Amino acid sequence: MTWRRHILWFLPFLFLVTAPLWQGTIANFLKPRGEFDLKADSGPASLRLFTMEEAHLSQITKGIKEWDIKAAKVYSEGVDSAIRMDGVEAVFYDRGRADANILSGKATYDEKKQILTLMDDVHLVTRDGHELRTEALRYLVKFQKIKTAVRVRLFGENVEIQGNSLFYDLKTGAFRVGGRVSCDFI
């Protein structure tokens, strides 16, 4: 009866001592076989995190420059397609010539929707010298239009216009100010 009790202790000991002899063969036998083509879209979206200092971004379509952006900092924060920027200087072009210059404290560019959102003391100057000041605005890249739904101030030759919203077409130069509008001739 004592030999049975000793065998209970001896079998695990024998298993551990002989492991180097059979471990490689068993591991090779249990190794997965075949091709495993793991698709990126089958699992959770991959993170795209980056930070760049003193960056210069441009968008050129069919050989025509649409806009240039210089930013003190460009970064992303997660899986969404938005690129965030701090200290932004942007130039928008119409048929290769500068159409509008914009300065802002912060900006976000949504690649999928092609919308550039500028925030924090936005200052826009058009090629004919008109100025716009607001806290936030959106540039719709596909349509070359600017819109905002916050308080806006426009300055032109001898005129100052204030309102609560704005729609501005960079192609035609037409604009519409909405909300409570006031116009002062200087």
Side-chain angles (χ1 to χ4, degrees):
M1 181 129 137
T2 58
W3 64 274
R4 286 186 195 168
R5 187 169 36 157
H6 292 301
I7 256 189
L8 283 176
W9 292 103
F10 184 72
L11 284 177
F13 176 73
L14 184 64
F15 181 79
L16 288 174
V17 169
T18 61
L21 299 174
W22 53 264
Q23 186 175 12
T25 308
I26 298 295
N28 190 32
F29 175 77
L30 295 175
K31 182 171 63 174
R33 305 273 190 254
E35 295 291 322
F36 290 97
D37 186 21
L38 299 176
K39 306 236 185 296
D41 58 350
S42 64
S46 61
L47 290 177
R48 184 183 69 168
L49 302 173
F50 66 91
T51 301
M52 293 185 282
E53 303 286 331
E54 301 299 324
H56 185 136
L57 306 170
S58 294
Q59 180 164 318
I60 299 171
T61 304
K62 297 180 183 176
I64 299 172
K65 187 180 279 192
E66 292 183 352
W67 49 263
D68 277 327
I69 296 177
K70 292 180 183 175
K73 182 179 177 182
V74 177
Y75 57 98
S76 71
E77 294 180 331
V79 297
D80 65 348
S81 65
I83 297 172
R84 288 158 176 56
M85 297 168 254
D86 293 338
V88 177
E89 295 178 31
V91 179
F92 298 105
Y93 295 92
D94 182 29
R95 297 182 201 106
R97 63 180 194 167
D99 193 33
N101 296 332
I102 298 180
L103 300 173
S104 74
K106 296 180 185 247
T108 303
Y109 180 61
D110 188 328
E111 292 174 284
K112 290 179 184 172
K113 296 178 182 176
Q114 290 192 339
I115 296 174
L116 177 66
T117 304
L118 299 129
M119 303 157 283
D120 193 22
D121 194 27
V122 180
H123 182 209
L124 179 140
V125 179
T126 64
R127 71 171 161 237
D128 50 357
H130 296 104
E131 290 185 50
L132 174 134
R133 290 194 179 266
T134 187
E135 280 303 309
L137 66 81
R138 287 191 166 175
Y139 174 62
L140 309 172
V141 176
K142 289 181 193 175
F143 308 107
Q144 293 184 331
K145 296 183 183 342
I146 292 174
K147 67 180 197 172
T148 183
V150 298
R151 187 151 180 78
V152 64
R153 292 175 56 200
L154 294 157
F155 303 94
E157 286 184 37
N158 303 323
V159 68
E160 179 182 341
I161 302 170
Q162 295 183 34
N164 293 335
S165 66
L166 170 90
F167 180 81
Y168 177 61
D169 189 338
L170 284 173
K171 289 182 196 174
T172 64
F175 68 93
R176 181 178 64 229
V177 179
R180 191 169 178 92
V181 178
S182 70
C183 182
D184 294 327
F185 293 100
I186 303 170

